[in-house]
Amino acid sequence: MHPLDTIKIYMQRAQVATAGGSANVRPTMLGAAQEILAQRGPGGFYAGLGANLSGQVPAGAIKFATYELLKQHAVQKRLPAAAQGWGEVASAALAFLACSVVLVPGEVVKSRLQAGLYPSFREALLRIIEQDGVSGLYRGYWATVTRDVPYTMLEFGLYEQFKRACMWSVKRDRLHSSEEWTMGGLAGGVTGWCTTPLDVI
């Protein structure tokens, strides 16, 4: 998915020089892909991949582990059935907050590499710390939290609700993996559409 994320970042940041300064332009997805290819070659689609993995891998482990622990020990054991949906949504929010400590620095470095501001992960990391200190790695922290807490709450919450609706529809207690993937895709798609304005910010 990283090449698509690079195209998205490029589209969100795209500017052109004009006589009066710079003006925002809105390239299409294909246009952005062609510009990245022309300017940076095929490797340009993978700018920031190392930074992305260095943040996403541990953050994903923390997020899912925290979510499952909260869901099993706080939601399912302590909340009545009618309140479990809200408990799952709250668990998702807390899970993101737990992982944000490692996710945000990776996101900061990744985004700057994707935007072409630095040539390498090492260079980006050193320059950010040199210019802004360690706190520079958390620039935009609250904007990221404002984007990703609702995203995580919606994604996990919708996923659980879609699974329940699907199980009710097919009259089974368990779903096949293809049905779970479909419910996950639907949850991610709806959530992405709802939270893209926050991502642009």
Side-chain angles (χ1 to χ4, degrees), residues 77-169:
K77 291 184 179 177
R78 300 180 187 276
L79 292 178
Q84 287 191 3
W86 291 109
E88 289 162 355
V89 168
S91 297
L94 292 171
F96 176 78
L97 289 174
C99 80
S100 67
V101 177
V102 294
L103 179 73
V104 172
E107 190 76 10
V108 168
V109 175
K110 176 205 72 149
S111 296
R112 294 188 188 187
L113 288 167
Q114 286 175 313
L117 300 178
Y118 300 105
S120 70
F121 176 86
R122 183 176 181 277
E123 179 81 8
L125 189 62
L126 291 175
R127 290 289 166 266
I128 292 168
I129 293 173
E130 181 182 286
Q131 292 165 8
D132 300 321
V134 175
S135 65
L137 294 171
Y138 290 90
R139 175 148 312 163
Y141 177 84
W142 291 112
T144 304
V145 167
T146 302
R147 174 195 72 182
D148 284 355
V149 166
Y151 183 95
T152 306
M153 290 169 69
L154 268 175
E155 183 179 43
F156 280 92
L158 287 175
Y159 176 60
E160 297 290 355
Q161 296 306 316
F162 287 169
K163 283 199 309 183
R164 286 186 183 108
C166 188
M167 285 188 285
W168 176 82
S169 174

Side-chain angles (χ1 to χ4, degrees), residues 10-78:
Y10 188 92
M11 291 173 70
Q12 289 174 340
R13 293 183 46 90
Q15 292 185 330
V16 291
T18 63
S22 63
N24 289 327
V25 293
R26 293 175 181 86
T28 64
M29 191 172 167
L30 180 59
Q34 289 171 333
E35 288 178 29
I36 292 167
L37 189 60
Q39 292 169 11
R40 307 178 196 170
F45 292 106
Y46 291 92
L49 179 61
N52 192 24
L53 293 176
S54 72
Q56 290 287 353
V57 170
I62 293 167
K63 180 167 71 171
F64 285 99
T66 303
Y67 176 75
E68 286 299 329
L69 280 171
L70 289 169
K71 189 172 111 171
Q72 289 174 17
H73 297 291
V75 176
Q76 292 174 345
K77 291 184 179 177
R78 300 180 187 276

Side-chain angles (χ1 to χ4, degrees), residues 184-198:
L186 286 172
V190 172
T191 302
W193 186 86
C194 292
T195 59
T196 292
L198 297 172

